[in-house]
Amino acid sequence: TGSVLRIPSGTRSLQFQFAGLYFGGSDEILYEYRLKGHDTGWVRTNNNFRITYQNLPAGTYTFQARAVDRFGRIAGELKGIQVSVSPAFWQTGWFLILCILAVLAAVYGIIHSLQQKLKEEEQLNSFATSLYGQSTVDDIFWDMANNCIRIFGFEDCVIYQKDDYREIMIQRAAAGPKNPHKGRDIFNQLEIPIGEGIVGTVAKTGKPELIKNTRKDPRYIVDDEKRLSEITVPVIIDGKVYAIIDSEHHRRGYFKMYHLRMLKKIAAISAERISKYLTEERLR
């Protein structure tokens, strides 16, 4: 009929049954069959008219049967039944394409991760090299602020120092809008009580914070102008908060976990440099 018998994937057994009508002696006619695309040649049935195939691979086949006399002449034949065994999903072209895409994505992810790590190492080395050339705490603070803008491209960066006697955080260095004349002047120098605002909270808890939307955080204190995201990281020396690195950006959600990770490393490098300087001062 020209139709195709479609067999779903996972079918374990496929059976064909056929019969031939012949009014002579049963030993005068022999029956043969083959599944074209699977059998290598014709197979004699020995009068068994039920043929079973097990676990056929995916593909297209044609089942044929014929009757031959004892002289090998064809007495009758079944031209063919087309059979299509569907492939399993992992054998399909789209699955192969997905696998290739997954491998490419994994390779890209590995390369991107290595590039990101290399970039981070270069940034940290640049920061550390610049920092170790400073000779006083003020120099270190100003270098920290400037490098946060130079290396990371932040809009602004302010370094607060903790005043234990007055229990406040004082702005000691700034880069960006808070330092418009590029000297060591801080515009609208701010003092924040410990425990107040985001800076004061971090000074009290010693835990860094990343604020994606300052409009939703009632602790936010406007400095020179209102900005929509803020990142605040403490500089810890001898287990206590010594200073704060604080940066804001006009765009909501600007700061990512990458920035937080890098600032924590920078805070550790800075803490080591400041601690070394304070130790040398005590020795002197």
Side-chain angles (χ1 to χ4, degrees), residues 30-233:
L30 299 171
Y31 294 94
E32 297 175 337
Y33 70 91
R34 71 175 177 179
L35 186 62
K36 195 173 181 180
H38 182 267
D39 295 328
T40 57
W42 290 94
V43 182
R44 190 156 291 177
T45 67
N46 294 324
N47 295 328
N48 178 20
F49 302 114
R50 184 174 295 173
I51 312 302
T52 302
Y53 291 93
Q54 302 287 343
N55 299 317
L56 282 174
T60 301
Y61 308 93
T62 302
F63 181 77
Q64 299 172 318
R66 69 186 182 182
V68 296
D69 61 19
R70 56 187 172 181
F71 301 107
R73 294 174 297 194
I74 299 175
E77 64 179 326
L78 175 66
K79 291 295 184 180
I81 299 174
Q82 286 190 321
V83 178
S84 176
V85 179
S86 301
F89 74 92
W90 62 83
Q91 297 172 316
T92 57
W94 61 264
F95 181 77
L96 178 61
I97 291 173
L98 287 178
C99 287
I100 293 173
L101 291 176
V103 170
L104 292 176
V107 171
Y108 172 80
I110 292 172
I111 294 174
H112 179 72
S113 177
L114 291 175
Q115 289 176 335
Q116 186 67 22
K117 287 181 180 179
L118 181 61
K119 178 183 175 182
E120 290 180 10
E121 288 298 323
E122 289 175 349
Q123 290 175 329
L124 290 173
N125 286 337
S126 176
F127 191 94
T129 301
S130 176
L131 197 65
Y132 276 92
Q134 311 307 317
S135 58
T136 68
V137 172
D138 276 347
D139 291 340
I140 293 171
F141 283 164
W142 281 98
D143 194 65
M144 289 165 62
N146 288 320
N147 278 331
C148 281
I149 287 183
R150 179 180 65 86
I151 296 174
F152 300 112
F154 290 171
E155 280 187 350
D156 93 312
C157 183
V158 178
I159 308 299
Y160 290 80
Q161 186 176 14
K162 187 178 182 182
D163 185 329
D164 288 317
Y165 180 74
R166 297 172 59 200
E167 293 191 344
I168 59 172
M169 300 300 297
I170 306 173
Q171 292 180 341
R172 292 299 190 192
K178 293 279 293 182
N179 177 233
H181 303 298
K182 307 301 180 183
R184 289 200 173 183
D185 295 325
I186 301 175
F187 172 73
N188 188 33
Q189 190 173 21
L190 201 64
E191 296 182 354
I192 298 178
I194 293 175
E196 294 185 14
I198 297 169
V199 169
T201 301
V202 172
K204 183 177 181 179
T205 64
K207 296 179 180 179
E209 292 204 31
L210 191 159
I211 311 301
K212 293 184 177 295
N213 188 355
T214 58
R215 289 176 178 172
K216 296 183 178 180
D217 197 319
R219 300 173 302 169
Y220 180 70
I221 297 175
V222 179
D223 192 351
D224 57 314
E225 64 177 88
K226 187 175 180 64
R227 298 183 179 89
L228 295 181
S229 56
E230 183 173 358
I231 187 169
T232 309
V233 176

